[in-house]
Structure formats: C-alpha cells, structure tokens
Amino acid sequence: MNSKPQIVKHVILVALTVLTALFQNSFLPALGARHVAWCLLALLTAAAMRQTELSAAAYGLLAGLLWDIASPLPDGVIALFLTVYACACSLLARYLFRRTLLTAAVFCGGGCAVWFTLSLLLNCAAKDFGALPGVILRCYLPSFLLTALALPVYEYAVRAIETRFGAKTAKLT
C-alpha cells in the first residue's frame, strides 16, 4: 500500500512528465529550435530506473501518449516503444545493474539508438537511401547529443525526488 510520501512522489513525477512533454513538443519548436532533445526519453530513463516494472511501464505509457499527440508517426508507436523501454530499464536496473549516472547514460544511449532506428525506418523507409548519412548527421545526431546533455539534469532531479519522497523502491514479495 502506498504511503503519503509515495503518492506525492508519483504526483511530482507525473507533473514533471507533463511539463517535459510540453517543453519538448510545444515550447522548444515554438521558440524556433532546429533540433529538439528527446527529453521525455531522458526523463523516462531516470525515472524508470528507480521504479517497479509496473510503475515504470505506466510512466512510459504516459510519456508515450504525450509524445504521440505531437508526433507525425502512426498513433501508438511511441507509446508502445516507451512503455516497453521503461519496463526494460526498470528490470535491468533492478536485477542486473546499479542505479548510477553511467548506467542511465548507457540505457539512454541504447534507447536513443533504438528510437533513432525506429524513427528512421518509419520516416525514411521508402525514400532515397543516398541521403541517409546527411539525415543522420543533420537531424538525428544533434537530437541524440542534446538528449545526452539533458540526461544528467533529469537524473539528479529524479534522484532528489526519490531521496525526499521515497528512497525505498518497492520490494517484491
């Protein structure tokens, strides 16, 4: 059963997810940013590493639905990807890896690479493959690097929330 600090922690993480989605999908493009970091992926990596699998999957579904609203990709693709990704991060962080910034960077880098590949296949599959190196260097690489820069900010923010409102992760019984 969740105690009051656990509920507050979840409310704060949901609010942070919504604010990050607004920042990534609305404010940055409205300000004229040519390249947008995948901030939801960075936030989800940091949050999923400190949650149970079900909670991580719920955060992944929320983040995916919020990203799907602004995406030109078919509906549900991002939600499915982020749900599976968050659950995988949670399982790997719980059973195989320590919860450190380096682990988060590896998870986020892997998630960005998978997202990059999936996005490339869905956006450019039937188009000119000769332009692929230019697309990678001009479109995806800057977003990948900006996501890598955003990860430590989210990692330390989620770690502070976790320390303040629920340092214990749920135990399997």
Side-chain angles (χ1 to χ4, degrees):
M1 182 165 201
N2 281 345
S3 62
K4 204 171 214 177
Q6 289 288 329
I7 293 170
V8 171
K9 175 188 76 166
H10 290 300
V11 167
I12 291 171
L13 286 175
V14 166
L16 186 61
T17 303
V18 171
L19 289 174
T20 300
L22 283 172
F23 179 72
Q24 171 183 317
N25 298 329
S26 298
F27 297 142
L28 284 179
L31 293 174
R34 279 188 72 199
H35 304 290
V36 177
W38 300 318
C39 296
L40 283 171
L41 191 65
L43 170 64
L44 191 59
T45 302
M49 287 178 56
R50 290 173 170 70
Q51 302 297 323
T52 61
E53 298 82 33
L54 188 58
S55 295
Y59 286 124
L61 182 62
L62 173 66
L65 290 174
L66 292 171
W67 198 343
D68 264 335
I69 290 170
S71 173
L73 294 177
D75 290 337
V77 170
I78 301 172
L80 178 64
F81 167 70
L82 289 182
T83 303
V84 171
Y85 171 74
C87 190
C89 282
S90 177
L91 286 168
L92 288 171
R94 178 181 296 257
Y95 296 114
L96 291 177
F97 297 102
R98 293 176 46 205
R99 293 175 175 107
T100 63
L101 182 59
L102 179 61
T103 304
V106 170
F107 287 172
C108 191
C112 283
V114 171
W115 170 244
F116 156 75
T117 304
L118 180 67
S119 177
L120 196 62
L121 287 174
L122 291 173
N123 286 329
C124 304
K127 297 184 175 72
D128 182 24
F129 288 107
L132 194 59
V135 169
I136 291 171
L137 290 175
R138 283 191 320 247
C139 296
Y140 290 105
L141 187 60
S143 294
F144 182 83
L145 294 174
L146 288 171
T147 304
L149 291 175
L151 177 67
V153 173
Y154 287 114
E155 175 68 22
Y156 290 122
V158 169
R159 190 180 299 174
I161 292 168
E162 206 44 55
T163 301
R164 174 68 174 96
F165 293 106
K168 300 180 288 195
T169 56
K171 296 178 184 169
L172 294 175
T173 57

